[in-house]
Amino acid sequence: IQQLLFVDSNKPPVVFHIFPFFGSTINYGIDPYKFFFACQEKYGDTFTFILLGRKMTVYLGPKGNDFIFNGKLSQVCAEEAYTHLTTPVFGTDVVYDCPNHKLMDQKRFMKFGLTSETFRAYVPLIIEEVETYLKNSPLFSARKGPVDLLAVIPELTIFTASRTLQGKEIRKGFTGEVAGLYHDLDAGFTPMNFMFPWFPFPQNKRRDAAQRKMAQTYMDIITKRRAAAARGKQPEEKDMIWNLMNQKYKDGTVVPDKEIAHMMIALLMAGQHTSMATMTWILLHLASRPDVVQDLYEEQLRIFGKDLEPLTYESLGELTLHNYVIKETLRIHPPLHSIMRKVKSPMRVPNTHWVIPDNHYLMAAPGVSAIDGKYFKNPTAYDPYRWAGEKVTIEEEEEKFDFGYGLVSKGTSSPYLPFGAGRHRCIGEQFANVQLGTLLAMFVRLLKMNLPDGQKEPAPPDYASLIAMPQRPATMIYEWRKPEKK
Ligand code: HEM
């Protein structure tokens, strides 16, 4: 009877379902947040649901975040949760296709390419990309008009990330063959690929061919750069490829070109969807709040004067309200709604008699505590100003820990963790802040923003892709502040 009622007193409760293999797949897939909150009300913070035959144990709230993000290597494993999705796209021997200690080394290498010095050089490059794009794009050719952000922001994100992190050659490639390769890679990076890795989707063939070609493109760049260095030619820009070419694994081996290529693809994919989704949500929320746009503009006038001096990396730090806007957008729309690990050895849930067996997966959803009234007043309201008073309750002091690639926050008891925590924490946070901050400041300088007449709120999220994007159409009404300067 206990089994029929999905009750096993030694395990967290199982979410009621009728069909054994499908379990709660549909409810979770349509709206994960609605599903998590409904389950939390019924079962508490810890429960197991069936996702296409996999047993997913969710542990919500700051304690759950801590339990999952800080699980020991002997207990939790990210590779087994993600590799079937990521390895065909990134390539072999990197990220989740290698032991964790190798990933820690690789994250250390990538961190070396994400310093204040590089960011200082990136800001003018991002500005140039945005100005050129907005001023030349037929989508912005009127003085005022509607624009589909889902046609604009993916391009702007990829152009700015490729011009900075990926280097000049790859940026150039985005006006030609590389754009097509990226498209084919992206088409193989979907929830379907995640859930049915064994299914021969027709796009998988194109994905695999694109992966090989893309990796070859990076390897050719590396070969050319080595040849130029041998002729005594100094690199024009010290970008991420240059940085990775100069790193060594802890055991002294140099990083093979193929692994550099695969890490570059991983960086491209990890940064593109997350930043693109965040920027789209930022603009949609601002379009619904012209009062905030006006405050942002005034913040820039205060800092840069009435002629708006050029933005710099240092000045980005002074744009307090701009930073609150990014933070608030990530609170309501963290791009990753579910973070997974495979359980490797049975794990007792603290202060309970429950033990999570090693045939389960663990799922953290820090986005749930970020919109929970326990931690944030008026939690679903978009209110960038809330960060001024830091109205978030953090239960314990943030603890820092060195996983081998610099100090990262181990203190996972925060309800607000859009960049994750622990050994798999994001290394791209500062880059994302530079990219998003510069894009945001440029949009505010150049354009006024509104939603179409009669629309008060941004479109609701669509959970059909791996990253929560707004439903189509994501229309914004732009108006040039100084049309004569176009
Ligand atoms: C990991 C979020 C941008 C590279 C993560 C994780 C989260 C996250 C939640 C943890 C995943 C897990 O624990 O399983 C975000 C958000 C971004 C962003 C919200 C932007 C708004 C970027 C960018 C890059 C990047 C721009 C590259 C430059 C990575 C890498 C990891 C990671 C390499 C490590 C994966 C691991 O150790 O397993 N990110 N990310 N991210 N992110 Fe980001």
Side-chain angles (χ1 to χ4, degrees):
I1 289 171
Q2 279 204 336
Q3 275 199 344
L4 273 177
L5 293 172
F6 310 112
V7 177
D8 176 341
S9 60
N10 287 322
K11 292 183 197 158
V14 178
V15 176
F16 178 78
H17 55 275
I18 296 177
F19 301 108
F21 177 81
F22 291 100
S24 309
T25 306
I26 306 264
N27 285 346
Y28 166 75
I30 292 176
D31 187 339
Y33 287 105
K34 197 168 158 202
F35 173 72
F36 289 143
F37 276 115
C39 293
Q40 190 181 39
E41 204 176 312
K42 219 165 170 183
Y43 306 103
D45 280 342
T46 320
F47 51 87
T48 299
F49 74 97
I50 308 299
L51 178 65
L52 294 173
R54 294 187 190 123
K55 291 177 181 148
M56 296 283 171
T57 298
V58 181
Y59 190 169
L60 299 173
K63 290 203 166 71
N65 297 339
D66 190 46
F67 183 75
I68 297 171
F69 288 126
N70 270 331
K72 293 196 186 89
L73 265 188
S74 58
Q75 293 178 318
V76 295
C77 162
E79 299 90 281
E80 283 183 42
Y82 298 139
T83 189
H84 57 280
L85 172 75
T86 53
T87 303
V89 177
F90 302 170
T92 50
D93 297 312
V94 300
V95 189
Y96 304 122
D97 189 54
C98 59
N100 186 266
H101 68 83
K102 189 165 176 179
L103 169 61
M104 293 300 117
D105 258 5
Q106 293 175 346
K107 288 178 81 170
R108 183 167 53 83
F109 305 157
M110 297 177 203
K111 278 286 250 189
F112 278 123
L114 299 166
T115 58
S116 308
E117 193 195 336
T118 49
F119 296 150
R120 204 164 290 125
Y122 288 169
V123 171
L125 300 178
I126 299 175
I127 294 173
E128 196 187 321
E129 286 287 342
V130 186
E131 280 184 340
T132 312
Y133 184 93
L134 291 181
K135 292 186 176 173
N136 296 325
S137 167
L139 297 172
F140 289 91
S141 59
R143 201 181 89 73
K144 179 180 177 178
V147 66
D148 176 8
L149 290 176
L150 294 175
V152 170
I153 303 304
E155 285 199 324
L156 265 177
T157 320
I158 202 112
F159 292 163
T160 50
S162 56
R163 181 64 191 89
T164 52
L165 262 193
Q166 299 275 326
K168 240 181 178 169
E169 300 96 322
I170 292 290
R171 170 65 187 93
K172 235 173 143 188
F174 268 101
T175 52
E177 194 193 24
V178 173
L181 296 179
Y182 172 77
H183 177 267
D184 286 350
L185 271 181
D186 203 36
F189 202 56
T190 68
M192 285 304 187
N193 296 86
F194 181 74
M195 291 195 280
F196 304 102
W198 39 264
F199 192 82
F201 293 109
Q203 70 267 31
N204 288 2
K205 252 190 170 169
R206 283 201 303 278
R207 172 199 64 191
D208 297 345
Q211 197 286 329
R212 285 191 295 273
K213 262 202 137 166
M214 192 83 172
Q216 194 55 53
T217 307
Y218 285 109
M219 288 192 281
D220 291 345
I221 294 172
I222 297 168
T223 308
K224 273 195 192 143
R225 288 191 183 189
R226 286 230 170 83
R231 292 194 305 272
K233 196 168 174 247
Q234 290 297 317
E236 280 172 44
E237 287 172 10
K238 293 186 175 173
D239 53 22
M240 186 58 92
I241 298 183
W242 176 87
N243 163 57
L244 294 179
M245 284 168 67
N246 287 289
Q247 301 294 340
K248 276 195 181 136
Y249 282 111
K250 280 224 170 89
D251 64 6
T253 33
V254 291
V255 188
D257 291 0
K258 201 167 182 175
E259 291 180 20
I260 298 180
H262 293 174
M263 274 187 258
M264 292 303 297
I265 300 177
L267 282 170
L268 184 70
M269 302 306 283
Q272 172 61 14
H273 291 91
T274 45
S275 292
M276 177 257 282
T278 310
M279 194 61 215
T280 309
W281 284 116
I282 287 177
L283 293 179
L284 282 180
H285 276 288
L286 291 184
S288 73
R289 293 287 301 273
D291 57 319
V292 180
V293 179
Q294 184 57 28
D295 286 355
L296 288 167
Y297 190 60
E298 282 169 19
E299 180 169 84
Q300 291 204 40
L301 290 175
R302 261 198 318 279
I303 290 170
F304 301 108
K306 70 174 180 14
D307 291 329
L308 292 177
E309 296 272 301
L311 219 76
T312 60
Y313 171 60
E314 273 71 23
S315 58
L316 275 182
E318 292 174 50
L319 294 172
T320 320
L321 183 58
H322 287 66
N323 290 314
Y324 293 160
V325 163
I326 298 175
K327 254 186 136 171
E328 180 67 349
T329 308
L330 284 169
R331 185 182 71 81
I332 300 206
H333 302 287
L336 300 177
H337 55 71
S338 305
I339 290 173
M340 288 175 217
R341 304 284 184 261
K342 172 78 179 52
V343 179
K344 296 299 288 174
S345 57
M347 291 173 79
R348 177 175 291 280
V349 180
N351 307 317
T352 72
H353 50 274
W354 292 329
V355 176
I356 306 170
D358 59 7
N359 61 346
H360 281 216
Y361 287 81
L362 276 171
M363 190 181 267
V368 170
S369 45
I371 49 166
D372 186 332
K374 260 193 255 153
Y375 310 105
F376 292 90
K377 263 193 200 145
N378 205 0
T380 51
Y382 184 81
D383 175 16
Y385 306 95
R386 74 170 71 237
W387 294 98
E390 287 280 321
K391 284 176 220 153
V392 50
T393 325
I394 298 189
E395 286 186 348
E396 290 155 34
E397 272 293 293
E398 206 178 48
E399 209 184 328
K400 296 270 182 184
F401 190 79
D402 193 350
F403 285 109
Y405 58 96
L407 285 180
V408 293
S409 94
K410 178 175 184 254
T412 38
S413 37
S414 167
Y416 177 77
L417 293 171
F419 293 96
R423 66 178 58 248
H424 289 284
R425 193 188 196 288
C426 186
I427 50 139
E429 177 175 0
Q430 285 93 338
F431 175 79
N433 280 328
V434 169
Q435 186 186 26
L436 295 170
T438 312
L439 281 167
L440 166 61
M442 291 308 292
F443 267 86
V444 168
R445 273 176 182 217
L446 296 171
L447 305 171
K448 289 183 187 165
M449 300 163 237
N450 276 289
L451 286 180
D453 278 349
Q455 191 186 332
K456 287 207 167 66
E457 297 282 330
D462 170 6
Y463 297 105
S465 64
L466 285 171
I467 302 277
M469 292 294 294
Q471 281 175 22
R472 283 175 190 274
T475 309
M476 177 184 98
I477 309 294
Y478 70 87
E479 183 179 353
W480 285 92
R481 285 189 190 273
K482 290 184 183 163
E484 73 280 4
K485 278 216 166 167
K486 260 200 79 186

